[in-house]
Amino acid sequence: MELFSAHRGMISLAVIEDQRPIGLINRNIFLLQMSKPFHRELYDKKSCIAFMDKEPLIVDEDMDIDTLTGRTIEYGEKALTDGFIVTRENRFVGLGNGLSLMRAVAGIQAEKNRQTMQSIEYASVIQRAMLRAPSETLAAAAKDCALAWEPRDVVGGDFYHFSAHENGWFGAVADCTGHGVPGAFMTLIASSALIKAIEQLGPRDPAALLAAVNRSVKTLLSQVRDSVSTPQSDDGLDAAFFWFDAQRRELCFSGARIAMHILKPGQEQFEVLPGQRKGVGYIDSPADHVWTQSTTALPEGSLLFITTDGLTDQIGGPRQIAFGKRRTADIILAHRADPATLICEKLQQALAQWQNTGREPQNRRDDLTLFFARI
């Protein structure tokens, strides 16, 4: 009683016998019991063993903090409220308490998070640097063009690729599995596979390039089902690949679950070149799958548009529904005479407003890539 009175911050008191801990007395429980009628008369002359927890958490002073945290959680709420006994060679050293442990764990976790965020932010610098060259290539090939790349997190799972060649240019917009760090890893795999395929096959056959990237991704991620083992990865990408022949003014397009939208002069609706409903990579996509290819003439002034589903699937508005394809088309049609950069800005503004309209603001659901080019 004297010890608890003298030390107001003491949560628990260890009971020691021959330098070895045998129990723990909780301050609040002890004072509550001693405040009851006649308890002072009944217990004043009795041993403190009558008040102790005989099975407290006892840990060695050399135990690392991760193991200690796990032991504390396993032991339950009692170890956090009462604290725990620390020993050296089974002899009493001191007491630890749950609050101090939580502070220590929070400090360690905060430092780990800080280091992780620094790494991710630097990864973002690398990813954006990789996208800079394709963006500059597009700007040189199509004078009236626009690109928007907005990762949901610091890094993203969308990427684009543009390359200039004799008599035309090649373009690709892709949405890889996931977002954040896993998505960024997939963009490295997929973009590397695409660059290698273009070097080997050339840029003029988008369907063949999709097939080549499909084989590369499946090989790299070991996505082959057999009777012995099950693939650990079911990752891949949706993609739109196209080749614009500047001499013939023709567009060759092949898509995997991403479509190409074309607004030709004088038309009031988009001409849609659909993507085939088969993703690139993934366990269920055969390694020898062949994608279909569309060819269409592009009169001067034709507007090309591609988006990943980060636009159309974004929830918002008064009824908290998806932004949708119809709303997207209406905005573009309303500004069809404007430069591509302005159309892109109007679409981004509409999406931001959509996210913040309704019962409560909606967070971004996915990575977003927008591509516009006027021929």
Side-chain angles (χ1 to χ4, degrees):
M1 196 69 165
E2 290 173 358
L3 283 168
F4 279 133
S5 298
H7 303 281
R8 299 288 181 181
M10 183 181 287
I11 298 173
S12 296
L13 186 63
V15 182
I16 311 299
E17 188 174 61
D18 296 328
Q19 299 184 40
R20 297 179 183 274
I22 61 171
L24 200 60
I25 301 174
N26 178 281
R27 176 196 186 91
N28 293 333
I29 295 174
F30 173 78
L31 293 179
L32 181 64
Q33 288 179 318
M34 292 299 285
S35 65
K36 292 179 180 179
F38 307 112
H39 265 59
R40 294 296 296 269
E41 291 79 3
L42 288 170
Y43 287 99
D44 262 1
K45 301 298 181 181
K46 288 193 174 184
S47 168
C48 61
I49 289 175
F51 294 93
M52 76 179 186
D53 172 13
K54 296 178 181 178
E55 295 181 346
L57 174 60
I58 301 175
V59 299
D60 189 85
E61 66 172 353
D62 292 330
M63 183 178 289
D64 65 85
I65 198 163
D66 288 338
T67 305
L68 173 58
T69 303
R71 286 286 309 278
T72 305
I73 293 171
E74 288 173 6
Y75 218 78
E77 187 178 339
K78 182 174 67 172
L80 291 172
T81 56
D82 295 1
F84 46 89
I85 295 172
V86 183
T87 61
R88 181 190 302 124
E89 297 178 351
N90 297 322
R91 297 180 182 274
F92 178 77
V93 175
L95 291 174
N97 66 73
L99 183 59
S100 296
L101 176 61
M102 285 189 286
R103 283 176 182 156
V105 171
I108 292 170
Q109 192 61 50
E111 177 59 21
K112 287 181 179 178
N113 290 344
R114 186 187 65 80
Q115 293 176 356
T116 301
M117 281 307 302
Q118 284 183 337
S119 297
I120 293 174
E121 285 166 2
Y122 189 69
S124 174
V125 173
I126 295 172
Q127 190 173 38
R128 290 176 185 276
M130 289 177 60
L131 294 172
R132 187 178 300 120
S135 176
E136 292 171 351
T137 298
L138 174 65
K143 301 301 181 184
D144 187 7
C145 63
L147 274 172
W149 181 80
E150 298 178 1
R152 193 199 77 166
D153 305 310
V154 182
V155 290
D158 286 5
F159 77 93
Y160 51 78
H161 178 81
F162 299 97
S163 55
H165 304 269
E166 185 178 0
N167 299 328
W169 50 279
F170 173 83
V173 175
D175 178 1
C176 297
T177 308
H179 34 71
V181 174
F185 269 112
M186 278 302 301
T187 66
L188 292 175
I189 292 172
S191 61
S192 298
L194 173 57
I195 292 169
K196 183 177 180 181
I198 293 173
E199 290 175 353
Q200 294 175 342
L201 304 176
R204 290 170 173 77
D205 192 342
L209 292 172
L210 275 176
V213 174
N214 180 54
R215 290 191 297 271
S216 294
V217 170
K218 294 182 74 65
T219 300
L220 286 167
L221 300 181
S222 302
Q223 293 174 341
V224 179
R225 276 184 171 153
D226 54 41
S227 58
V228 179
S229 62
T230 301
Q232 294 184 345
S233 165
D234 189 18
D235 300 295
L237 59 146
D238 301 341
F241 289 3
F242 63 92
W243 163 255
F244 173 64
D245 190 312
Q247 279 192 332
R248 298 181 179 179
R249 290 194 178 278
E250 283 184 348
L251 182 81
C252 289
F253 172 81
S254 186
R257 300 199 290 218
I258 294 182
M260 164 76 82
H261 295 75
I262 305 172
L263 187 59
K264 295 180 180 179
Q267 291 185 344
E268 294 303 319
Q269 297 294 330
F270 279 99
E271 177 183 329
V272 180
L273 305 180
Q276 193 172 339
R277 300 187 66 82
K278 180 67 72 174
V280 177
Y282 302 106
I283 295 173
D284 292 333
S285 295
D288 58 353
H289 185 77
V290 177
W291 274 266
T292 57
Q293 189 160 281
S294 303
T295 302
T296 185
L298 292 181
E300 186 174 348
S302 297
L303 181 67
L304 310 181
F305 169 62
I306 299 174
T307 179
T308 56
D309 57 12
L311 173 69
T312 53
D313 291 352
Q314 177 60 49
I315 298 298
R319 293 188 293 153
Q320 303 290 278
I321 59 175
F323 191 79
K325 297 177 181 178
R326 176 68 62 83
R327 188 171 287 101
T328 300
D330 288 345
I331 293 169
I332 297 173
L333 286 167
H335 298 277
R336 61 184 299 167
D338 295 330
T341 52
L342 185 57
I343 300 174
C344 189
E345 288 174 9
K346 293 293 184 182
L347 199 54
Q348 288 176 283
Q349 290 169 5
L351 178 63
Q353 184 178 0
W354 184 255
Q355 284 181 243
N356 292 286
T357 303
R359 294 187 299 272
E360 58 184 24
Q362 294 292 318
N363 294 325
R364 181 62 59 85
R365 290 170 64 93
D366 201 354
D367 305 314
L368 169 66
T369 302
L370 301 175
F371 158 76
F372 289 93
R374 198 184 304 275
I375 302 302

